[in-house]
Amino acid sequence: MKNQDHMLWSEFLGKRLLLVALSLGLLTHGIIVYFTLPQTYDAYVHMFFADHYSRFWFEPWEYRWYTGFLTISYPPLVHQLLALISKVFPLKIAFSIYAIAIFEALIIGIYRFTKMFYSKQTAGVASILAVVLSSLVETLHVYGQVPTLTGLAFLLNAIPFLYQYIKTSDWRYLVMSLAFIAVTVSSHHVTAIFGMVFFIAPAMLMAGVDSNPELGKKNLFGRFLPDLLVVAWKKKKEILFFGFGTIFLAISLIFPYWYWSRTDPITQVSIPHGSRDNFLEETSSGLVFYVIPLLLIFALLPAISYLITRKKRHLGWAVSFFTCLLLGSGGTTPLPKLLLGENAFNILTLDRFGFWASIIAIPYISHFLVSFLGGNIKKYWTEKYGETSHFLISGLSGFSYLLFIIYIFHLASFRPLQPKSVEIEPIINFLNRDDHMRWRYLTLGFGDQMAWLSSNTLAATIDGNYHSARRLPEMTSRAVERLENAKYLMEEGMASLNDFLTLAEKYQLKYVFSNDRYYDPLLFYSGWNRTIRLENGIMVWEKGNISTIQPIKPTELNPLLKKAWGILPVSTLLVAIGLTFVYLFHFKKTQEELLADEEVNRYPKPVIYSSAWLPFVLFSSFLIYQIYELLLIDEQKDPSTTIYSHFNHLDFQRFEEAFKFFKPGPEYSLDQYLLEKSVSDGGLLPSFAKLDGLQIDTLEIKDNSAKMNVHSTWRTSLGPREKEEQMNLEKIDNKWFITPPKLEIDIPEEQVITYTYTLFKKMGKRVVSSFPTVKDDRIKKPFAGFYQANLIQIGEELNLTGELINADNIPITLALKAVLTYENDSTATFFPQRNIHYNLAPKASTWFQLPLGSQSTDGDKKIKSISLELETDISERGYIRGGELTYKLLTENSSESVFEASMKNPFTGEITIPGVLISEKDSLGRILQVELWTHPKSIRSGLEGTFEIPLQKLEARSKVLNDFPINLKINGQDRELLENKPVSKERISFLPHCFLSQEIYLQ
């Protein structure tokens, strides 16, 4: 009778705790999720897929990313449900509604999952724990991974039915388990392929042991394993039915996904991911992908390890738990790569294994908490140390964990994961007018908000945010997930971005929306022109002479597969919901509920003490370290630390914080510091650069003074730059301060400077009409001509060099390309990179160089002919190339010349990046090479800058090839070289090619 009363009380309390957990989940996550989703990694990506299904439910071809891809590359159920909700609510609200609904389903799943292990009371505590479990909080509020949560929620609801089916052989449990498995398969492919293995096999083993109580009493290395095989053989029919049913559902429900994987396999360079790092070396990766989601598991690992290895029924869960914990450690040890293999290790994001380990641990954590808060451990503790001691350790551990969860909710505030929010309405308005949607665009510095922009427009971008769908060779050949964040991907990211900016015509890329001025120099020198700064501060860059998007034939897919993709996944959810109601009202009441009667009445003392103190120690230590790192770290404890801290603040342009490292005194104020920075700093460094490395060498150090040599390395969009400087420091009140540098004042002779700019405005002939005025908007093509075109061979590399002129009386923008025809009649197109002036003032000329790659010795790949094609258009901006340039030769030998150049700035604004276009010619005046050289410091108005320019000469190593005819075309018409070009006797010549960031020509 007492046992029955205990079960009734446990059932009553368990259900009440479940209701409390559901209410807490709604009140916490339901309120917060709308505000955290803009900072998550993946929320906007899933909204984009949802927007696709909202617009094109039965059409899997999505043309807006990567010149087109198939959405069957990701299971559709979550995105289709979001699309349905978005028919009633805005997309962000729809995402929030779905996220909290699936989190509630996950809480129920954890409750039912835990009932396989322990009592309903423990299951109720597990459901409350799910609300605040750090791995779940991070998955939703940091990653925004609702498909992962959806797959897990339905998998956890399926596992108890599987357990009951294996134990009782009742086919109705089989139907229920497969119904939930079907939803899992339709929601998330990784959970279906990998995750189910870690849950299904242990559940079957547990059911086998529980159906034969004597089996669990046998020795593990004695009769247990052989007898377990006997039990499995007796249950072979149940196992086979479930196995074949699961395989059938996994293949049939998302067959188009498997078809896509087979016919269009992912062949691309692996993209680095923080979850594969060595967490001892990359501590930031370890924090996000291992410590934050698993800190509670580590704190209670002694209790978990004891409970999970205590009985044979938990053997499968122990293997899964420790395996997932090991795989989640990434590259910290070589074991995960050995277990997964090279290919899987480089494809999977390994944090999901740690995530699954945390879910497996929930029943064991809950059982320990029940025992510690109101069970045998509490009784032991209070008898030995008193009620007050137990209350304090419980309260302190709980409070520190609560602060830890709050820290996760606000992780984006402490460690920004995304750029600041961008208002997308002005961009949408820009794309909607003047047929701008007829070209592709690119965003820079948007973060995952680029997917949110795509969700709100039908315009196409060359970029995308789902790397498995990438098929463009400029992206798949490098470890680049997306172009938008190229600067964070070092050389490979910038190389890929440079390819797309150069090959803009190939992909009909005409517009770039830049939210980061870091990319401005690369855009300018790649031939892009600034057009307008939108109301949200986004700068729009445009490239002229780009053809409109050419129709691309979508990848063919059988119409039957399209229908199945749009119907079957949603049907699985409807079937699962319908069967659940049938189970609850007609089946469950007639069945004896199969609950585990296992109770652990005694814990070893080492487990009690370690699990009692570790949570408080770990969580409080973590929080203290975070507070110390954010607020209390001594940034001026020694000269090196002071300089590192100073440069760190400078790198993020926190000038007021950087100023605090200078020696305090009335003679050097913050106002003076900011004024001097505005005068002395500018140009490529540091205005358009990101600090990459800092090397500090001690030249002299005394008790209260030091002299340090600082070598800084900077990343810029034009390549790496280095800077070396000396700093003097003084020690005052146990803190080191930098002695303020003395500014060398350089004041222009003329205090008032005027300059008459020759400005042009292209009005066009469009009428006020919503219809394109194709004929009325046509403007004449400006005249241009070639002075020379040469094919130059340097080693095995070929280059096409030459000179052209704007022969018209209006400024023009150029689009130059070389089309090579080979012996097998195939063609290849090459574009100039930065070695050309893309905008020319009237009568101005420019040199150019187009790299053609290596010369092929293959008969079919030998060059047959070369066509050099030039397209021109009227320009109203970008034709002011710089100030007055003079130069003289300093030193020269057979391989190198060094020049001293002086450039005077006659403009009213500064020359931000002084640049020089250099050409080397042979004795006949033929151009052998063209090179762009840029200076890292700006030149203020009215001043003059002097700098040395080294040039590696190629005349001795180059050869002019005359074997291949070069056909010249300008605006589609055949042309010949212009005559009577005066040949300069100078073998090396210079042209100014400067970047002016103040946009003096945007009038």
Side-chain angles (χ1 to χ4, degrees), residues 36 43 75 85 101 217 219 227 473 496 515 532 605 650 671 673 764 805 884 976:
T36 57
I85 302 173
K217 300 177 182 179
N219 186 276
D227 290 351
S496 185
N515 189 38
I532 186 175
K605 290 182 181 180
L650 278 182
D671 182 66
Y673 168 66
I805 184 173
E884 303 166 4
E976 300 292 335

Side-chain angles (χ1 to χ4, degrees), residues 964-994:
F964 308 102
I966 301 177
N967 304 313
L968 304 178
K969 287 188 177 183
I970 300 178
N971 295 322
Q973 298 182 352
D974 293 331
R975 289 287 187 267
E976 300 292 335
L977 293 177
L978 298 178
E979 301 292 340
N980 301 323
K981 166 67 176 175
V983 179
S984 172
K985 296 181 179 179
E986 295 182 350
R987 305 290 283 273
I988 298 175
S989 303
F990 295 78
L991 280 176
H993 192 9
C994 304

Side-chain angles (χ1 to χ4, degrees), residues 191-305:
T191 302
I193 298 172
F194 293 95
M196 289 199 301
V197 176
F198 294 101
F199 288 87
I200 289 176
M204 286 183 171
L205 189 149
M206 176 182 276
V209 174
D210 288 350
S211 63
N212 297 268
E214 295 299 321
L215 183 61
K217 300 177 182 179
K218 296 181 179 180
N219 186 276
L220 177 63
F221 299 103
R223 293 298 309 167
F224 174 77
L225 292 177
D227 290 351
L228 180 64
L229 293 176
V230 173
V231 171
W233 178 256
K234 291 180 180 179
K235 294 286 183 178
K236 62 180 180 299
K237 183 172 67 174
E238 289 82 358
I239 295 173
L240 288 175
F241 274 141
F242 176 81
F244 284 118
T246 301
I247 294 172
F248 173 77
L249 291 174
I251 294 176
S252 61
L253 291 175
I254 55 172
F255 177 76
Y257 170 79
W258 304 114
Y259 174 79
W260 168 83
S261 301
R262 182 68 177 173
T263 58
D264 190 16
I266 300 174
T267 54
Q268 51 186 259
V269 174
S270 175
I271 298 173
H273 193 269
S275 64
R276 305 185 203 112
D277 290 341
N278 184 332
F279 297 152
L280 299 179
E281 296 176 355
E282 300 293 336
T283 54
S284 59
S285 297
L287 173 70
V288 174
F289 296 111
Y290 208 57
V291 174
I292 287 179
L294 296 175
L295 193 57
L296 179 62
I297 279 73
F298 294 138
L300 296 177
L301 192 58
I304 297 170
S305 301

Side-chain angles (χ1 to χ4, degrees), residues 898-916:
V898 179
F899 294 85
E900 181 183 79
S902 296
M903 182 178 291
K904 187 173 183 180
N905 181 5
F907 308 124
T908 55
E910 72 174 13
I911 296 176
T912 312
I913 302 179
V916 176

Side-chain angles (χ1 to χ4, degrees), residues 822-863:
Y822 301 102
E823 292 292 341
N824 61 358
D825 291 328
S826 63
T827 61
T829 304
F830 300 89
F831 298 86
Q833 297 179 355
R834 300 195 286 266
N835 302 326
I836 186 178
H837 278 294
Y838 285 93
N839 294 274
L840 294 179
K843 310 306 181 198
S845 63
T846 180
W847 309 304
F848 60 84
Q849 176 174 316
L850 291 82
L852 306 181
S854 301
Q855 184 179 23
S856 176
T857 57
D858 185 4
D860 288 339
K861 279 296 182 179
K862 283 187 177 181
I863 299 174

Side-chain angles (χ1 to χ4, degrees), residues 302-307 309-310 368 371 376-377 380-381 600-612:
I304 297 170
S305 301
Y306 171 71
L307 291 173
T309 57
R310 184 171 174 269
F368 174 81
S371 184
N376 295 318
I377 296 180
Y380 169 82
W381 195 280
V600 181
N601 298 318
R602 180 182 175 277
Y603 283 81
K605 290 182 181 180
V607 171
I608 295 175
Y609 288 116
S610 59
S611 298

